[in-house]
Amino acid sequence: MMNVIWSTMILIGLITAAFTGNLESVSAGIPDSAKDAVELLVVMLGVISMWSGFLSIAEESGLTGQLAAKMQPFIRFLFPNLPKDHPAVSHICANFTANLLGLGWACMPTGIAAMKDLRSLEESRGNVSSVASDEMCTFLLLNISSLQLIPMNMIAYRSQYGSPNPLAVVGPSLFATLITTLTAIILCKWFTRKSRPNIS
């Protein structure tokens, strides 16, 4: 589906450029865009590699487990039906930590692992339906809303494109993501208010 969307957008752009006499500008811009994309990829590769390494070290050293223990009240509030010592808890905590640091790409592995754990939990409960559970929906919404204390990805983008003050985005980003996260929490609690009682 995404291939169709992107192909359609490119085709519309080329047709518009041809009719407006800007086809030459488009042709000249393609190599420049490709160069910018490769340079940005190198910058982001360094940032994501560094923080992915930090997250791996944190998991191996037991720091993730300690963080999960500290975040337990918050996790219990968001996921009341999630067993306390379930493997999904540590992955959810690691994912939330990466999101707090604004590392959307780096949090993907822990996010996928958490979803797999939550799916396994549903199967252990005898639920083989393809419908997402309350826990899975809650985790997805919170992951998308993504409260960010330090938007590292955005800072890296702004640095790459020559912003005189890459950190200027921190305040607005914190405010915006705080609103989206609070909204996500309210929606999750509203739609799951009649969910199953605690099983742990």
Side-chain angles (χ1 to χ4, degrees), residues 34-69:
K35 176 176 175 291
D36 290 342
V38 172
E39 290 178 351
L40 181 60
L41 177 62
V42 172
V43 172
M44 298 310 300
L45 178 63
V47 174
I48 299 305
S49 297
M50 180 183 70
W51 284 104
S52 294
F54 285 164
L55 288 174
S56 296
I57 293 172
E59 186 171 353
E60 292 294 330
S61 65
L63 182 60
T64 302
Q66 296 178 18
L67 181 63

